Amino acid sequence: QLQLVESGGGLVQPGGSLRLSCAASEGTLANSAVAWFRQVPGKEREGVSCISSSGGSTDYADSVKGRFKISRNNARDTVYLKMNSLKPEDTAVYYCSSVPWFYCSGYEHFNTWGQGTQVTVSS
């Protein structure tokens, strides 16, 4: 069964950058679209970005467009989320998830989660 592990979170000042990584500790991300989500206490999990299995197609939430970039290295079986110009409202636990098909077809289809990685943006 696929198990995903997120890493790379931390504390950063507003305007700073972080790069999150998502890797499979069990199974593989090959042939799977992968998405990043985030959640703050008391709110629903929010889809942030998604990438197709080839990396040729990406999607971003309006709140992060122009600041975040999703990418993948299929040779390393890892998906990344580079976050630039971070804002306090980006503070959340970030999760990655995957679906067993090639394209991002809606965040509602993702339903398996790792342990998440905390991102805190604060001065």
Side-chain angles (χ1 to χ4, degrees), residues 102-113:
F102 296 153
Y103 296 105
C104 301
S105 57
Y107 292 106
E108 67 273 16
H109 298 295
F110 293 82
N111 56 17
T112 57
W113 313 101

Side-chain angles (χ1 to χ4, degrees), residues 35-89:
W36 284 97
F37 292 76
R38 64 187 181 187
Q39 189 170 26
V40 297
K43 291 190 175 181
E44 290 190 0
R45 203 167 308 203
E46 172 192 19
V48 173
S49 184
C50 187
I51 189 166
S52 63
S53 59
S54 69
S57 177
T58 58
D59 179 73
Y60 297 92
D62 288 343
S63 57
V64 307
K65 276 181 183 175
R67 300 188 298 121
F68 290 12
K69 182 175 176 61
I70 193 170
S71 63
R72 66 191 300 161
N73 184 329
N74 285 341
R76 296 187 176 184
D77 209 23
T78 302
V79 174
Y80 305 98
L81 185 69
K82 181 65 186 303
M83 306 185 296
N84 298 316
S85 302
L86 281 162
K87 304 175 181 180
E89 51 264 42

Side-chain angles (χ1 to χ4, degrees), residues 2-4 24-32 72 74 77 98:
L2 182 67
Q3 293 188 8
L4 301 178
S25 62
E26 296 284 342
T28 177
L29 293 174
N31 300 320
S32 296
R72 66 191 300 161
N74 285 341
D77 209 23
S98 69

